[in-house]
mmCIF file of all heavy atoms in Angstrom:
data_model
loop_
_atom_site.group_PDB
_atom_site.id
_atom_site.type_symbol
_atom_site.label_atom_id
_atom_site.label_comp_id
_atom_site.label_asym_id
_atom_site.label_seq_id
_atom_site.Cartn_x
_atom_site.Cartn_y
_atom_site.Cartn_z
ATOM 1 N N GLY O 210 70.444 109.959 83.945
ATOM 2 C CA GLY O 210 69.548 110.567 84.907
ATOM 3 C C GLY O 210 69.253 109.722 86.106
ATOM 4 O O GLY O 210 68.326 110.041 86.878
ATOM 5 N N ASN O 211 70.031 108.682 86.334
ATOM 6 C CA ASN O 211 69.815 107.785 87.482
ATOM 7 C C ASN O 211 70.750 108.217 88.622
ATOM 8 O O ASN O 211 71.756 107.581 88.921
ATOM 9 C CB ASN O 211 70.103 106.353 87.094
ATOM 10 C CG ASN O 211 69.212 105.871 85.977
ATOM 11 O OD1 ASN O 211 68.061 106.289 85.832
ATOM 12 N ND2 ASN O 211 69.726 104.963 85.129
ATOM 13 N N ALA O 212 70.366 109.302 89.294
ATOM 14 C CA ALA O 212 71.224 109.928 90.313
ATOM 15 C C ALA O 212 71.483 108.957 91.481
ATOM 16 O O ALA O 212 72.611 108.856 91.974
ATOM 17 C CB ALA O 212 70.626 111.225 90.810
ATOM 18 N N ALA O 213 70.446 108.290 91.928
ATOM 19 C CA ALA O 213 70.599 107.395 93.103
ATOM 20 C C ALA O 213 71.603 106.267 92.796
ATOM 21 O O ALA O 213 72.481 105.967 93.627
ATOM 22 C CB ALA O 213 69.269 106.786 93.494
ATOM 23 N N GLU O 214 71.489 105.656 91.612
ATOM 24 C CA GLU O 214 72.396 104.586 91.210
ATOM 25 C C GLU O 214 73.827 105.145 91.057
ATOM 26 O O GLU O 214 74.804 104.478 91.461
ATOM 27 C CB GLU O 214 71.963 103.951 89.914
ATOM 28 C CG GLU O 214 70.709 103.120 90.001
ATOM 29 C CD GLU O 214 69.433 103.945 89.887
ATOM 30 O OE1 GLU O 214 69.531 105.187 89.934
ATOM 31 O OE2 GLU O 214 68.339 103.348 89.785
ATOM 32 N N ALA O 215 73.943 106.359 90.520
ATOM 33 C CA ALA O 215 75.248 106.945 90.343
ATOM 34 C C ALA O 215 75.913 107.243 91.679
ATOM 35 O O ALA O 215 77.092 106.949 91.890
ATOM 36 C CB ALA O 215 75.136 108.237 89.537
ATOM 37 N N ILE O 216 75.128 107.785 92.628
ATOM 38 C CA ILE O 216 75.685 108.101 93.947
ATOM 39 C C ILE O 216 76.135 106.811 94.647
ATOM 40 O O ILE O 216 77.218 106.780 95.251
ATOM 41 C CB ILE O 216 74.609 108.831 94.799
ATOM 42 C CG1 ILE O 216 74.418 110.248 94.286
ATOM 43 C CG2 ILE O 216 75.027 108.844 96.294
ATOM 44 C CD1 ILE O 216 73.281 111.010 94.925
ATOM 45 N N GLU O 217 75.371 105.766 94.503
ATOM 46 C CA GLU O 217 75.756 104.493 95.113
ATOM 47 C C GLU O 217 77.060 103.972 94.492
ATOM 48 O O GLU O 217 77.948 103.455 95.190
ATOM 49 C CB GLU O 217 74.626 103.458 94.904
ATOM 50 C CG GLU O 217 74.960 102.082 95.500
ATOM 51 C CD GLU O 217 73.859 101.062 95.262
ATOM 52 O OE1 GLU O 217 72.802 101.457 94.752
ATOM 53 O OE2 GLU O 217 74.077 99.872 95.590
ATOM 54 N N THR O 218 77.187 104.098 93.177
ATOM 55 C CA THR O 218 78.375 103.608 92.495
ATOM 56 C C THR O 218 79.599 104.428 92.826
ATOM 57 O O THR O 218 80.713 103.929 93.003
ATOM 58 C CB THR O 218 78.157 103.588 90.965
ATOM 59 O OG1 THR O 218 76.972 102.845 90.691
ATOM 60 C CG2 THR O 218 79.322 102.903 90.249
ATOM 61 N N TYR O 219 79.394 105.756 92.950
ATOM 62 C CA TYR O 219 80.531 106.593 93.405
ATOM 63 C C TYR O 219 80.977 106.149 94.783
ATOM 64 O O TYR O 219 82.185 106.174 95.088
ATOM 65 C CB TYR O 219 80.115 108.074 93.423
ATOM 66 C CG TYR O 219 80.136 108.763 92.093
ATOM 67 C CD1 TYR O 219 79.012 109.363 91.579
ATOM 68 C CD2 TYR O 219 81.327 108.820 91.358
ATOM 69 C CE1 TYR O 219 79.046 110.010 90.319
ATOM 70 C CE2 TYR O 219 81.352 109.448 90.108
ATOM 71 C CZ TYR O 219 80.226 110.032 89.616
ATOM 72 O OH TYR O 219 80.263 110.673 88.391
ATOM 73 N N GLY O 220 80.056 105.727 95.615
ATOM 74 C CA GLY O 220 80.432 105.225 96.932
ATOM 75 C C GLY O 220 81.303 103.984 96.825
ATOM 76 O O GLY O 220 82.225 103.822 97.634
ATOM 77 N N GLN O 221 81.022 103.139 95.851
ATOM 78 C CA GLN O 221 81.821 101.943 95.628
ATOM 79 C C GLN O 221 83.252 102.314 95.186
ATOM 80 O O GLN O 221 84.250 101.684 95.578
ATOM 81 C CB GLN O 221 81.158 101.034 94.604
ATOM 82 C CG GLN O 221 79.847 100.451 95.056
ATOM 83 C CD GLN O 221 79.094 99.697 93.950
ATOM 84 O OE1 GLN O 221 79.684 99.458 92.886
ATOM 85 N NE2 GLN O 221 77.864 99.338 94.209
ATOM 86 N N VAL O 222 83.338 103.380 94.342
ATOM 87 C CA VAL O 222 84.636 103.843 93.898
ATOM 88 C C VAL O 222 85.442 104.298 95.136
ATOM 89 O O VAL O 222 86.628 103.956 95.279
ATOM 90 C CB VAL O 222 84.490 105.012 92.924
ATOM 91 C CG1 VAL O 222 85.872 105.609 92.576
ATOM 92 C CG2 VAL O 222 83.800 104.570 91.639
ATOM 93 N N ILE O 223 84.792 105.040 96.007
ATOM 94 C CA ILE O 223 85.453 105.580 97.203
ATOM 95 C C ILE O 223 85.885 104.458 98.149
ATOM 96 O O ILE O 223 86.931 104.561 98.790
ATOM 97 C CB ILE O 223 84.545 106.623 97.898
ATOM 98 C CG1 ILE O 223 84.430 107.851 96.995
ATOM 99 C CG2 ILE O 223 85.123 107.004 99.234
ATOM 100 C CD1 ILE O 223 83.318 108.779 97.363
ATOM 101 N N GLU O 224 85.107 103.406 98.201
ATOM 102 C CA GLU O 224 85.499 102.255 99.022
ATOM 103 C C GLU O 224 86.788 101.643 98.521
ATOM 104 O O GLU O 224 87.658 101.217 99.291
ATOM 105 C CB GLU O 224 84.378 101.201 99.049
ATOM 106 C CG GLU O 224 83.178 101.574 99.895
ATOM 107 C CD GLU O 224 82.103 100.493 99.857
ATOM 108 O OE1 GLU O 224 82.407 99.396 99.328
ATOM 109 O OE2 GLU O 224 80.983 100.774 100.340
ATOM 110 N N LEU O 225 86.917 101.603 97.200
ATOM 111 C CA LEU O 225 88.146 101.037 96.584
ATOM 112 C C LEU O 225 89.309 102.000 96.679
ATOM 113 O O LEU O 225 90.450 101.593 96.875
ATOM 114 C CB LEU O 225 87.904 100.671 95.117
ATOM 115 C CG LEU O 225 87.006 99.451 94.839
ATOM 116 C CD1 LEU O 225 86.781 99.333 93.318
ATOM 117 C CD2 LEU O 225 87.661 98.205 95.368
ATOM 118 N N ASN O 226 89.006 103.308 96.545
ATOM 119 C CA ASN O 226 90.055 104.317 96.590
ATOM 120 C C ASN O 226 89.542 105.529 97.351
ATOM 121 O O ASN O 226 88.890 106.401 96.799
ATOM 122 C CB ASN O 226 90.473 104.740 95.178
ATOM 123 C CG ASN O 226 91.516 105.829 95.197
ATOM 124 O OD1 ASN O 226 92.106 106.129 96.229
ATOM 125 N ND2 ASN O 226 91.750 106.449 94.039
ATOM 126 N N PRO O 227 89.847 105.594 98.652
ATOM 127 C CA PRO O 227 89.354 106.701 99.477
ATOM 128 C C PRO O 227 89.979 108.045 99.109
ATOM 129 O O PRO O 227 89.629 109.092 99.696
ATOM 130 C CB PRO O 227 89.813 106.295 100.887
ATOM 131 C CG PRO O 227 90.097 104.847 100.817
ATOM 132 C CD PRO O 227 90.571 104.595 99.426
ATOM 133 N N PHE O 228 90.897 108.064 98.110
ATOM 134 C CA PHE O 228 91.548 109.282 97.712
ATOM 135 C C PHE O 228 91.108 109.734 96.325
ATOM 136 O O PHE O 228 91.786 110.571 95.670
ATOM 137 C CB PHE O 228 93.074 109.113 97.734
ATOM 138 C CG PHE O 228 93.605 108.626 99.060
ATOM 139 C CD1 PHE O 228 93.913 107.297 99.251
ATOM 140 C CD2 PHE O 228 93.726 109.519 100.121
ATOM 141 C CE1 PHE O 228 94.358 106.876 100.498
ATOM 142 C CE2 PHE O 228 94.209 109.098 101.359
ATOM 143 C CZ PHE O 228 94.519 107.764 101.532
ATOM 144 N N SER O 229 90.003 109.219 95.833
ATOM 145 C CA SER O 229 89.513 109.571 94.493
ATOM 146 C C SER O 229 88.837 110.920 94.526
ATOM 147 O O SER O 229 87.652 111.025 94.874
ATOM 148 C CB SER O 229 88.550 108.480 93.969
ATOM 149 O OG SER O 229 88.009 108.882 92.707
ATOM 150 N N ILE O 230 89.555 111.932 94.120
ATOM 151 C CA ILE O 230 88.985 113.302 94.104
ATOM 152 C C ILE O 230 87.821 113.357 93.133
ATOM 153 O O ILE O 230 86.789 114.022 93.431
ATOM 154 C CB ILE O 230 90.084 114.300 93.700
ATOM 155 C CG1 ILE O 230 91.177 114.355 94.759
ATOM 156 C CG2 ILE O 230 89.540 115.681 93.475
ATOM 157 C CD1 ILE O 230 92.393 115.180 94.366
ATOM 158 N N GLU O 231 87.952 112.704 92.001
ATOM 159 C CA GLU O 231 86.879 112.765 90.999
ATOM 160 C C GLU O 231 85.574 112.206 91.567
ATOM 161 O O GLU O 231 84.491 112.759 91.348
ATOM 162 C CB GLU O 231 87.270 111.963 89.763
ATOM 163 C CG GLU O 231 88.406 112.582 88.963
ATOM 164 C CD GLU O 231 88.840 111.696 87.816
ATOM 165 O OE1 GLU O 231 89.175 110.510 88.087
ATOM 166 O OE2 GLU O 231 88.818 112.153 86.684
ATOM 167 N N ALA O 232 85.659 111.078 92.320
ATOM 168 C CA ALA O 232 84.457 110.452 92.854
ATOM 169 C C ALA O 232 83.791 111.358 93.885
ATOM 170 O O ALA O 232 82.565 111.557 93.870
ATOM 171 C CB ALA O 232 84.784 109.106 93.479
ATOM 172 N N PHE O 233 84.558 111.934 94.771
ATOM 173 C CA PHE O 233 83.995 112.850 95.784
ATOM 174 C C PHE O 233 83.371 114.081 95.123
ATOM 175 O O PHE O 233 82.284 114.511 95.469
ATOM 176 C CB PHE O 233 85.088 113.309 96.775
ATOM 177 C CG PHE O 233 85.406 112.306 97.836
ATOM 178 C CD1 PHE O 233 86.630 111.665 97.881
ATOM 179 C CD2 PHE O 233 84.449 111.983 98.833
ATOM 180 C CE1 PHE O 233 86.927 110.735 98.869
ATOM 181 C CE2 PHE O 233 84.738 111.042 99.812
ATOM 182 C CZ PHE O 233 85.969 110.406 99.848
ATOM 183 N N ARG O 234 84.071 114.678 94.160
ATOM 184 C CA ARG O 234 83.588 115.889 93.523
ATOM 185 C C ARG O 234 82.289 115.617 92.735
ATOM 186 O O ARG O 234 81.319 116.377 92.859
ATOM 187 C CB ARG O 234 84.658 116.456 92.587
ATOM 188 C CG ARG O 234 84.207 117.763 91.922
ATOM 189 C CD ARG O 234 85.376 118.417 91.207
ATOM 190 N NE ARG O 234 86.030 117.530 90.298
ATOM 191 C CZ ARG O 234 87.369 117.495 90.117
ATOM 192 N NH1 ARG O 234 88.137 118.275 90.814
ATOM 193 N NH2 ARG O 234 87.882 116.688 89.245
ATOM 194 N N GLU O 235 82.284 114.536 91.947
ATOM 195 C CA GLU O 235 81.123 114.244 91.128
ATOM 196 C C GLU O 235 79.945 113.787 91.962
ATOM 197 O O GLU O 235 78.806 114.082 91.646
ATOM 198 C CB GLU O 235 81.506 113.235 90.045
ATOM 199 C CG GLU O 235 82.522 113.820 89.035
ATOM 200 C CD GLU O 235 83.089 112.808 88.100
ATOM 201 O OE1 GLU O 235 82.463 111.742 87.862
ATOM 202 O OE2 GLU O 235 84.236 113.043 87.590
#
Side-chain angles (χ1 to χ4, degrees):
N211 300 329
E214 290 84 350
I216 288 172
E217 180 182 353
T218 307
Y219 279 123
Q221 294 173 10
V222 175
I223 292 166
E224 286 180 10
L225 288 175
N226 178 13
F228 305 100
S229 175
I230 295 173
E231 293 175 304
F233 280 113
R234 181 169 54 218
E235 292 170 25

